[in-house]
Amino acid sequence: MADNNSSTDTKIEKPPEVKRAWADEVDDEPEPEPEPEPTSSSSISEEKAPEPDIGSLTIDETKKADKFLDEPEDSNIKAVTTGDTLYSTAATFEDLNLSEELLKGLYVEMKFTRPSKIQSISLPMILTPPYKDLIAQAHNGSGKTTCFVLGMLSRVDSKLKAPQALCICPTRELAIQNVEVLNKMGKYTGITSTCAIPMDRNHDLPIAKRQPITDQVVIGTPGTIKKWMSVKKLSTRDMKILVFDEADHMLAEDGFKDDSLRIIKDIERSSAHCQVLLFSATFNETVKNFVSRVVKDGNQMFVKKEELSLDVVKQYKVICPDELAKIHVIKDKIFELGEKLGQTIIFVHTRRSASALHTALADFGWQCTTIHGAIEKDHRDKIVKEFKDGLTQVLISTDLLARGFDQSQVNVVVNYDLPVKHESPSEPDYEVYLHRCGRAGRFGRKGIF
C-alpha cells in the first residue's frame, strides 16, 4: 500500500452541479496535503519493505473454492429478529426446501457443497414466510451475492411472465456480474432476467420503443431502473422482492439515496407486499440509523466494525516520499510479487492518476489495463471480461471496482492513492478502504494489500 496524495474534484457526469461520485473522481482542483492513512498491520519504509511469505499466500488450485466458504471462522455475526417467527440456521442447502432445479444449479453450476456462515443464517430469514425485510452485513467475499440471488430465484414464479424480483446496484460492472451469477445459479429453473444498465445509444433500441419487460428478474443501476419505471416499461405490480446491493452506498447522501427511496416508494404503492433486502460489507452509523428507519419491521444482521478486516489479507504500508517513488515500488517489487501470486488490482483516486500510472508503467515495459468512468461502456465491459478471463494480469482502477467486484485470482491489491471522503477530503474513507481490501481474500483465499 502506498502513501496517498489525493485530490479534491467534482463529478463530470452532468456539469456543472451534481453530487460527487464515490467511484470516479476527476482532477480539476489543487491537491491537498497528504492525509492520515487507515491503520495497517505494519509500517515500513520503501528501502526496508519486507518480502511477504510467498508460500503462505499461494493458492492450491486443487481445492475447490467452496472449501473456504466458512471463513473467516471468527466472524461474529449478530442477528436481531423481529416478531415471533422462529428461524433455524441451515447446515445444508436441503434445509432450505429449495426446488430440485435450484439445488442442481448450486451443486452442478456453482460447485457449492454447503452454505457459508452468512448464508446459513440469512437464507432462512429471507425464505421463511411472512418474508420479512432484512438488513444484512458481512465480510467481503463471504457469500452475500448468493444470499440475495438465491432469495430472488426462490421467490419468483417462472410461469408468470412479469417482473417479480428487482436488484439495484451502484455500477454497471456489478450489475452485469450479478446477472451472470443469477443466470448460472438459475440455469435449470426456466427463470429469465434482464440487465438494466446504460447502453450505447447509437446501437441500442431506446427503452421507450421496446416491448414491456416480461423477464421475472431485473438487475440494474438506479438511473436506468427509474427511467424504465417512469416510461411504464418496467411494471412493479407483481414485485415480490427488492434487493439493494452495496446498500450503504445506495442509501447514502453522497450515493443514490434519492433514486433508491423513489423506487422503494413507487413499488410500495403498486405491490401488496414487497420484501426488501439490504446487503453490504459496511454500514456506517449514519446510514445504519437511516436504514433502520426505512426498514421498520425487519430482521438485522451486523458485524462489529473492528471485526470487518479480513485476517486472510495481510496489509503492508510502504512509505514513499513522492509520486515517482510509488511508481518505482510498484515496478520493482509489487509487479514481481503479483506475477507469482495471481492477478493484481491497483486502486487510484482519479481518472488522471489512472492514466498517468498506466503510461508510466507502460514506459517501463509492464503490460496493464485501466478502467474508469470516462471509458466507453462497451470498452469497459471488454476490459472487465478480459481481466476475469485471465487475459490480463494487472488492472488499474478508480473506485469503480472497489465494491463487489469478484475475481478469485486477485491476490494482490495496491492502494496507490488512499480513499478519502468526498464531503471531507482531509479524512480517510475507511469504508471504501475495507471494500478495496476485500477484492483480495475472496471466500477466504489469502492475499496482500
Side-chain angles (χ1 to χ4, degrees):
M1 180 178 76
D3 269 6
N4 177 54
N5 289 323
S6 60
S7 60
T8 307
D9 311 295
T10 53
K11 187 178 177 182
I12 66 170
E13 298 276 318
K14 294 181 180 179
E17 188 173 274
V18 291
K19 293 182 180 179
R20 293 179 179 272
W22 63 274
D24 221 8
E25 291 285 314
V26 292
D27 314 69
D28 300 326
E29 301 173 19
E31 296 187 357
E33 293 299 314
E35 304 302 341
E37 305 174 15
T39 56
S40 166
S41 61
S42 61
S43 178
I44 58 179
S45 67
E46 178 188 348
E47 293 76 14
K48 298 181 180 180
E51 297 293 338
D53 181 0
I54 302 299
S56 67
L57 295 168
T58 303
I59 294 173
D60 182 356
E61 291 302 333
T62 64
K63 298 180 179 180
K64 294 181 180 179
D66 61 279
K67 298 274 188 183
F68 298 98
L69 278 175
D70 286 333
E71 297 187 25
E73 291 291 351
D74 59 347
S75 61
N76 183 16
I77 300 174
K78 180 181 179 182
V80 179
T81 60
T82 62
D84 55 4
T85 306
L86 297 178
Y87 304 98
S88 57
T89 57
T92 68
F93 287 112
E94 281 78 6
D95 293 340
L96 298 168
N97 296 317
L98 300 173
S99 68
E100 290 295 325
E101 293 79 12
L102 270 178
L103 288 174
K104 186 176 180 181
L106 289 168
Y107 294 139
V108 176
E109 299 300 321
M110 304 300 295
K111 311 296 184 188
F112 291 164
T113 58
R114 64 186 186 278
S116 68
K117 186 168 185 179
I118 184 177
Q119 292 162 9
S120 68
I121 297 173
S122 68
L123 282 169
M125 296 182 185
I126 296 171
L127 302 177
T128 303
Y131 305 118
K132 286 183 174 291
D133 298 342
L134 174 65
I135 306 169
Q137 176 191 31
H139 298 83
N140 287 298
S142 60
K144 294 186 295 296
T145 302
T146 295
C147 294
F148 63 76
V149 167
L150 194 55
M152 290 191 292
L153 289 170
S154 299
R155 296 293 310 284
V156 162
D157 178 3
S158 61
K159 297 178 182 177
L160 176 60
K161 303 302 179 183
Q164 302 164 58
L166 178 62
C167 175
I168 306 177
C169 315
T171 65
R172 64 182 283 115
E173 286 74 17
L174 188 52
I176 292 171
Q177 178 177 281
N178 287 341
V179 168
E180 291 172 348
V181 172
L182 183 133
N183 289 338
K184 189 175 182 179
M185 194 181 299
K187 180 177 179 179
Y188 305 102
T189 63
I191 294 170
T192 61
S193 64
T194 292
C195 192
I197 56 176
M199 301 300 290
D200 186 347
R201 294 180 181 177
N202 296 324
H203 299 92
D204 221 53
L205 186 67
I207 185 63
K209 296 183 179 180
R210 295 185 187 181
Q211 293 297 314
I213 304 299
T214 58
D215 296 301
Q216 291 98 354
V217 181
V218 178
I219 300 177
T221 51
T224 303
I225 292 289
K226 194 175 71 169
K227 180 180 179 180
W228 287 16
M229 291 170 61
S230 66
V231 296
K232 311 298 183 184
K233 298 297 182 178
L234 175 56
S235 170
T236 59
R237 64 184 181 185
D238 297 301
M239 204 63 67
K240 299 177 181 177
I241 184 168
L242 170 63
V243 177
F244 287 96
D245 194 6
E246 305 299 341
D248 61 325
H249 179 64
M250 299 303 296
L251 292 170
E253 287 288 351
D254 62 343
F256 298 97
K257 180 180 176 181
D258 293 342
D259 285 347
S260 297
L261 291 179
R262 175 67 61 84
I263 292 170
I264 291 174
K265 290 179 180 178
D266 287 348
I267 291 176
E268 285 178 346
R269 282 195 293 266
S270 58
S271 302
H273 172 66
C274 180
Q275 183 183 30
V276 179
L277 307 181
L278 305 169
F279 278 85
S280 184
T282 56
F283 282 96
N284 64 41
E285 290 304 314
T286 301
V287 175
K288 189 184 294 185
N289 292 334
F290 173 73
V291 167
S292 297
R293 294 197 301 272
V294 173
V295 181
K296 299 181 179 63
D297 183 29
N299 299 318
Q300 299 184 7
M301 292 172 50
F302 287 111
V303 177
K304 292 181 180 179
K305 181 183 292 186
E306 58 270 22
E307 295 181 4
L308 284 173
S309 182
L310 295 169
D311 291 338
V312 292
V313 178
K314 301 302 179 184
Q315 300 179 54
Y316 296 85
K317 180 170 68 174
V318 182
I319 306 300
C320 298
D322 51 42
E323 288 285 320
L324 186 59
K326 291 199 288 185
I327 293 172
H328 278 282
V329 167
I330 292 175
K331 176 179 71 75
D332 297 334
K333 294 184 180 293
I334 294 174
F335 268 159
E336 181 181 355
L337 179 65
E339 284 187 330
K340 296 177 181 178
L341 294 179
Q343 292 176 294
T344 300
I345 295 182
I346 304 174
F347 281 111
V348 297
H349 185 54
T350 66
R351 300 170 181 179
R352 187 174 67 186
S353 291
S355 300
L357 178 59
H358 189 142
T359 300
L361 295 176
D363 288 344
F364 285 118
W366 289 100
Q367 292 186 346
C368 52
T369 54
T370 299
I371 188 168
H372 53 70
I375 295 174
E376 288 294 326
K377 299 178 181 66
D378 290 347
H379 190 43
R380 276 163 53 181
D381 296 344
K382 181 181 178 183
I383 291 169
V384 169
K385 186 179 188 305
E386 289 179 347
F387 190 69
K388 286 198 169 190
D389 289 344
L391 300 178
T392 53
Q393 293 298 108
V394 179
L395 181 61
I396 301 170
S397 176
T398 59
D399 282 329
L400 188 71
L401 298 183
R403 288 173 171 265
F405 182 68
D406 189 8
Q407 172 65 353
S408 62
Q409 293 307 308
V410 172
N411 304 308
V412 179
V413 174
V414 180
N415 221 15
Y416 185 83
D417 296 320
L418 285 173
V420 295
K421 294 186 175 180
H422 302 294
E423 68 278 8
S424 179
S426 63
E427 189 177 350
D429 194 322
Y430 302 104
E431 281 77 23
V432 173
Y433 179 87
L434 279 170
H435 282 280
R436 286 182 178 184
C437 184
R439 296 319 97 211
R442 308 299 291 174
F443 303 114
R445 292 175 181 267
K446 297 177 181 179
I448 61 175
F449 184 69

